[in-house]
Amino acid sequence: MPSLTHIDLTQVRQQLRQPRQQLKGRQSTSEARAEVRALIGEPPADGHRRDLLIEHLHVLNDHFHGLFERHIVALAAEMRLSVVEVFEVASFYHHFEILKDEDTAPRITVRVCDSLSCSLAGSDSLLRQLQNDLLDVKVVPVPCLGRCEQAPAAQVGQQAVAHATADAVAQRVSQNQTTPNALPDAIRLGAYLQAGGYQLARQVASGEREAESVIQVLESSGLRGLGGAGFPAGRKWRIVRSQPAPRLMAVNIDEGEPGTFKDRTCLESDPHRFLEGVLIAASVVGCEAVYIYLRDEYHEARVLLAQALADLQANPPCALPYIELRRGAGAYICGEESAMIESIEGKRGEPRLRPPYIAEVGLFGRPTLEHNFETLYWIRELLENGADSFASHGRHGRQGLRRFSVSGRVKHPGVKLAPAGITLRELVDEHCGGMAEGHTLYAYLPGGASGGILPARLADVPLDFDTLQPHGCFIGSAAVMVLSESDSAREAALNVMRFFAHESCGQCTPCRVGTDKAAQLMASPVWDADTLQDLAQVMGDASICGLGQAAPNPIRCVSQYFPHEVGVQT
């Protein structure tokens, strides 16, 4: 009979209680930690802030043209995080290039937009030509770059290329032109102050202008959130102001909806008008810190805004809240307010379940005022001219003004300031110079990728909040994309569904699986209408956030208004 092995359980327990000499898994090397520390700095006495993880990843990604595994491991050690925690954040965002240590980072990454407006302008053929011609750099298709009026749009490194051609991109690559373009026409602090800038911010901060009077102006004007949801701005300020301190503020400039570029256009023109709106909102609501979240595709705007903040802090017109500029990393989902807050906290940008709402439990667990860029951009004008002046504009029974991002088959695309309630036909004729030469209106998307698609016969529907819902659409961020008789509504719907599938955060199954399956079915010349309608129902009813809930709109619109394109019986 074999002898039994005796196990001393007391000794085992003591060994288990001993702290590990090192964490499990791959260990960081001193060389890699030195490289990381040289870029992000020595750790403070209390350690690196957890919420700055994405910022540190950007520093490494920019410097090394990618995130090598050794640097991910070293960053985890420097920040006292697990490697898997750093990796799962880095792998979530499209702009982080994760590389094995033996890989070679691309010298330059060229991005070519393949979203709808750029596709209409020939970005598909541009992409193929660049992939054939530029063999020593990485050329990739990407979702909307926020330059739809400059279609086709591309980026060489961090330099935007408007109306891109193969020659223009190749020239920048050969000359290693990868830094952001200059914005010489932007209004700087001195000029802004000379034009009366920041006087209102001073008055509000000093109490010369009462907070209640400011909120009343917002309420009387009817100003609503202009990022897509349309919640009344004055009511939002009241709600957050009533919450216990400390209160925070998060500004959403993650303008990722295909067809939308109004925030970038305004920011690149007049950054201090926006910042004055930020100061007034923070003062009225009592927000002690402000976090500005800017989409990573807007490199030129980031350089400008960083300088504007530095100038403001060097010459403050009043007591300033703590302000941080945060950089997105290529994730459309972070335009959803709670996903943006997760990203600001240095996490994967996955939407939160609600309640609680972020007005009560938001950034870092504190009551948070969240606003879109354009909403804050309006504040100075509203307070200077009064609520009645704003509300006096409008057509077809609507009130106020809207900035429309117009792209596609029009003569003069761009940001158009027009009365709320203007129709598509009026917008194109009066503000865009009519349809492009040789094109006749066929269809249009009134609210970007998620807002649905309408036929030309509905071009006289007022464009505003609540006017498009009876037709299965919504205005969202007022991104208007115009199609002509040379285009296909089916192809447009397929383009935006592929976008949704690419940008789904993957947190919930209806959206993750539904968008991908829908895109596969929509690629067929003849649609399986019953299956697509089932998918649309499930996505709309069961998705956690607006991405999955709005993704079915193109399916329903094509089935209803363009059945001849997909063989659907009506």
Side-chain angles (χ1 to χ4, degrees), residues 176-433:
N176 204 36
Q177 292 179 240
T178 60
T179 57
N181 296 301
L183 297 171
D185 297 329
I187 298 173
R188 308 290 170 163
L189 179 59
Y192 188 75
L193 290 172
Q194 289 180 356
Y198 290 114
Q199 289 184 12
L200 286 166
R202 290 192 190 96
Q203 293 170 5
V204 173
S206 66
E208 180 182 345
R209 185 148 188 163
E210 294 182 353
E212 176 61 26
S213 70
V214 174
I215 294 178
Q216 287 179 359
V217 170
L218 266 62
E219 291 175 334
S220 299
S221 69
L223 180 68
R224 295 170 67 168
L226 298 173
F231 193 86
R235 190 192 310 172
K236 182 182 286 190
W237 288 25
R238 284 197 188 280
I239 292 171
V240 181
R241 192 166 182 252
S242 69
Q243 300 299 313
R247 294 177 287 274
L248 306 177
M249 183 174 176
V251 182
N252 189 342
I253 323 181
D254 193 67
E255 188 180 40
E257 180 78 14
T260 310
F261 48 91
K262 59 184 176 60
D263 293 351
R264 173 189 58 79
T265 302
C266 294
L267 176 56
E268 290 181 347
S269 171
D270 195 354
H272 287 283
R273 179 173 293 272
F274 154 69
L275 289 175
E276 183 162 17
V278 169
L279 296 187
I280 292 170
S283 182
V284 169
V285 178
C287 300
E288 65 178 35
V290 178
Y291 295 81
I292 302 173
Y293 191 87
L294 178 66
R295 73 177 301 202
D296 194 35
E297 290 84 353
Y298 290 174
H299 298 291
E300 286 82 3
R302 186 177 69 254
V303 172
L304 178 68
L305 185 54
Q307 185 59 57
L309 283 168
D311 294 342
L312 183 64
Q313 290 163 342
N315 185 23
C318 56
L320 302 179
Y322 176 76
I323 303 176
E324 277 192 8
L325 175 58
R326 291 298 185 85
R327 181 177 169 185
Y332 166 72
I333 192 63
C334 290
E336 197 276 340
E337 60 180 11
S338 65
M340 176 188 67
I341 283 176
E342 290 288 298
S343 190
I344 293 173
E345 292 180 355
K347 304 172 187 174
R348 296 163 64 89
E350 296 177 336
R352 297 176 179 177
L353 292 172
R354 287 166 285 188
Y357 296 94
I358 67 168
E360 303 167 305
V361 182
L363 190 56
F364 306 121
R366 301 307 313 162
T368 301
L369 176 67
E370 186 274 342
H371 261 315
N372 162 261
F373 170 92
E374 192 194 356
T375 310
L376 295 164
Y377 195 79
W378 273 108
I379 301 301
R380 176 183 168 184
E381 185 165 337
L382 285 175
L383 296 182
E384 285 182 339
N385 298 330
D388 292 342
S389 175
F390 180 81
S392 67
H393 296 277
R395 290 188 186 177
H396 308 294
R398 314 303 295 179
Q399 289 186 331
L401 291 165
R402 290 297 302 265
R403 286 183 175 85
F404 295 87
S405 303
V406 186
S407 61
R409 308 296 191 180
V410 297
K411 281 185 182 177
H412 306 301
V415 176
K416 311 297 179 180
L417 181 62
I422 194 171
T423 68
L424 183 280
R425 200 180 310 278
E426 293 168 340
L427 182 65
V428 170
D429 290 345
E430 298 174 23
H431 295 268
C432 303

Side-chain angles (χ1 to χ4, degrees), residues 28-323:
S28 62
T29 65
S30 57
E31 293 82 5
R33 290 189 71 164
E35 289 176 326
V36 169
R37 191 168 290 190
L39 292 172
I40 71 171
E42 297 285 334
D46 54 352
H48 288 288
R49 287 166 47 189
R50 171 64 179 79
D51 62 294
L52 291 178
L53 172 57
I54 293 173
E55 295 297 306
H56 293 333
L57 288 170
H58 271 304
V59 172
L60 296 172
N61 197 69
D62 287 349
H63 184 81
F64 294 106
H65 296 190
L67 294 174
F68 287 97
E69 289 179 348
R70 64 181 181 273
H71 294 137
I72 291 177
V73 174
L75 180 61
E78 288 291 299
M79 297 190 70
R80 302 176 186 173
L81 300 171
S82 67
V83 174
V84 69
E85 192 172 0
V86 176
F87 184 86
E88 73 175 3
V89 171
S91 60
F92 180 84
Y93 296 94
H94 301 309
H95 290 181
F96 292 140
E97 179 80 9
I98 297 177
L99 303 169
K100 294 185 179 298
D101 288 339
E102 62 270 19
D103 291 342
T104 300
R107 180 173 69 87
I108 296 173
T109 296
V110 175
R111 295 179 167 89
V112 179
C113 179
D114 65 359
S115 287
L116 182 56
S117 295
C118 285
S119 182
L120 295 176
S123 65
D124 297 340
S125 59
L126 173 64
L127 174 67
R128 289 193 297 270
Q129 183 174 351
L130 292 174
Q131 288 175 330
N132 289 331
D133 296 348
L134 303 179
L135 302 179
D136 62 334
V137 300
K138 184 175 183 179
V139 181
V140 293
V142 295
C144 188
L145 291 173
R147 297 181 178 276
C148 314
E149 85 283 24
Q150 301 170 1
Q155 279 186 344
V156 178
Q158 295 188 1
Q159 185 168 118
V161 186
H163 306 293
T165 64
D167 288 343
V169 171
Q171 181 180 8
R172 285 169 171 80
V173 169
S174 66
Q175 298 177 358
N176 204 36
Q177 292 179 240
T178 60
T179 57
N181 296 301
L183 297 171
D185 297 329
I187 298 173
R188 308 290 170 163
L189 179 59
Y192 188 75
L193 290 172
Q194 289 180 356
Y198 290 114
Q199 289 184 12
L200 286 166
R202 290 192 190 96
Q203 293 170 5
V204 173
S206 66
E208 180 182 345
R209 185 148 188 163
E210 294 182 353
E212 176 61 26
S213 70
V214 174
I215 294 178
Q216 287 179 359
V217 170
L218 266 62
E219 291 175 334
S220 299
S221 69
L223 180 68
R224 295 170 67 168
L226 298 173
F231 193 86
R235 190 192 310 172
K236 182 182 286 190
W237 288 25
R238 284 197 188 280
I239 292 171
V240 181
R241 192 166 182 252
S242 69
Q243 300 299 313
R247 294 177 287 274
L248 306 177
M249 183 174 176
V251 182
N252 189 342
I253 323 181
D254 193 67
E255 188 180 40
E257 180 78 14
T260 310
F261 48 91
K262 59 184 176 60
D263 293 351
R264 173 189 58 79
T265 302
C266 294
L267 176 56
E268 290 181 347
S269 171
D270 195 354
H272 287 283
R273 179 173 293 272
F274 154 69
L275 289 175
E276 183 162 17
V278 169
L279 296 187
I280 292 170
S283 182
V284 169
V285 178
C287 300
E288 65 178 35
V290 178
Y291 295 81
I292 302 173
Y293 191 87
L294 178 66
R295 73 177 301 202
D296 194 35
E297 290 84 353
Y298 290 174
H299 298 291
E300 286 82 3
R302 186 177 69 254
V303 172
L304 178 68
L305 185 54
Q307 185 59 57
L309 283 168
D311 294 342
L312 183 64
Q313 290 163 342
N315 185 23
C318 56
L320 302 179
Y322 176 76
I323 303 176

